[in-house]
Amino acid sequence: MAKKSSIEKNKNRQALVVKFAARRARLKAIASDQSAPIEEQFEARLKLAELPRNSAKIRIRNRCEVSGRPRAVYRKMKMSRIALRELGSKGLIPGLVKSSW
């Protein structure tokens, strides 16, 4: 199990991303628009830098929904390999069959 503070920190980042997504997208569009005046692009970049760092989507860490583990997380199921194996062995994941040869 991961530290609760790490899990909560990641949840706060996700909330910030949702909150600032529209503003961040608008400022990024202005900053990357080559037809806009240079002063306007520069001003947009300054405003973008004033936004909280944790409002950037790149700062969200994929974590396991079950255990909070940060590594070896399958995106499709949002679960780590360890949690997936445990739940699969118990038969709690439909369609998952343990392979044997």
Side-chain angles (χ1 to χ4, degrees), residues 16-97:
L16 278 174
V17 166
V18 171
K19 182 179 178 183
F20 288 99
R23 193 179 316 173
R24 185 172 279 277
R26 186 171 27 87
L27 288 172
K28 276 185 140 182
I30 294 169
S32 63
D33 185 19
Q34 296 295 324
S35 63
I38 294 173
E39 296 83 19
E40 194 175 320
Q41 289 179 16
F42 185 69
E43 193 176 314
R45 285 194 179 97
L46 287 177
K47 287 182 181 176
L48 197 60
E50 289 174 2
L51 292 178
R53 283 186 178 171
N54 285 335
S55 68
K57 191 176 180 183
I58 196 76
R59 291 178 68 101
I60 295 176
R61 180 82 170 145
N62 284 340
R63 287 190 171 270
C64 175
E65 296 286 321
V66 179
S67 64
R69 182 179 164 85
R71 297 183 180 197
V73 176
Y74 292 102
R75 289 182 185 168
K76 189 173 184 179
M77 292 165 268
K78 296 182 181 177
M79 205 178 303
S80 70
R81 60 183 175 84
I82 298 166
L84 183 70
R85 183 179 170 92
E86 286 176 3
L87 293 176
S89 295
K90 293 178 184 175
L92 298 175
I93 300 175
L96 189 72
V97 181

